[in-house]
Amino acid sequence: MKNLPVFVYGTLRHGLRNYQSYLNGRTEKEVPATTKGRMVCVENGSFPCLFPEGNNIIQGELMYISDEIFPEVLKDLDWVEGYDEADLENSMYERKVVTVENKNGEKVEAFIYYWNVNGGIGEYIPSGCWVTHVSREKEKTN
């Protein structure tokens, strides 16, 4: 399998809960990047899901992983995203290859996980930024 960076936009972003468990100390570099799509929360609001349809700017990061551990890390990310390439019909997310734009405006081919479940979605996130959304939700509860 080709070693591509992984574009993360939700709980796998630097400093967030799944980053700590699955990516911390396992990346060679992490680069801010964007793509286009439509971001929404799942019904309980605990994590986002992304659809390729839409023109919102989605903010995230490219996670570059070394060749030596790439298969292991991708397997872990597939697990946390509920993706099974042998059983796409029952996968929560689908891993795709897309072109994203890094912070320097360069086009980069990367893996991304798109929502693959009918239903189960809640609030639309117009900012396209999970970090901003989480901060606003915390402010509402304080």
Side-chain angles (χ1 to χ4, degrees):
M1 174 175 299
K2 191 173 180 181
N3 181 347
L4 297 175
V6 180
F7 179 84
V8 298
Y9 54 86
T11 64
L12 287 164
R13 289 186 66 180
H14 185 92
L16 298 182
R17 73 173 188 267
N18 281 331
Y19 173 87
Q20 294 305 109
S21 299
Y22 299 97
L23 291 169
N24 191 25
R26 301 173 87 187
T27 61
E28 291 185 329
K29 66 179 177 177
E30 301 169 4
V31 178
T34 60
T35 191
K36 290 199 174 181
R38 181 172 53 95
M39 182 184 285
V40 297
C41 285
V42 295
E43 284 177 314
N44 68 6
S46 62
F47 58 90
C49 47
L50 185 63
F51 296 91
E53 307 84 21
N55 285 319
N56 282 57
I57 300 296
I58 307 301
Q59 296 179 33
E61 296 153 2
L62 286 168
M63 300 295 177
Y64 288 85
I65 302 155
S66 70
D67 290 339
E68 298 80 46
I69 63 170
F70 182 78
E72 172 190 342
V73 173
L74 196 63
K75 182 179 175 184
D76 289 347
L77 295 179
D78 285 351
W79 181 84
V80 78
E81 300 292 8
Y83 170 68
D84 180 353
E85 66 184 330
D87 188 13
L88 185 57
E89 185 176 317
N90 293 304
S91 292
M92 190 163 60
Y93 286 86
E94 181 176 6
R95 180 172 26 92
K96 297 273 198 173
V97 175
V98 296
T99 301
V100 301
E101 190 171 303
N102 71 16
K103 67 179 181 180
N104 298 324
E106 300 164 332
K107 305 293 184 192
V108 178
E109 194 173 66
F111 287 118
I112 193 170
Y113 291 90
Y114 287 120
W115 190 244
N116 191 47
V117 177
N118 289 326
I121 58 171
E123 176 186 1
Y124 167 64
I125 304 172
S127 71
C129 180
W130 182 246
V131 173
T132 299
H133 176 76
V134 169
S135 295
R136 288 181 182 155
E137 291 301 306
K138 281 184 183 177
E139 287 174 10
K140 287 181 187 177
T141 60
N142 291 333

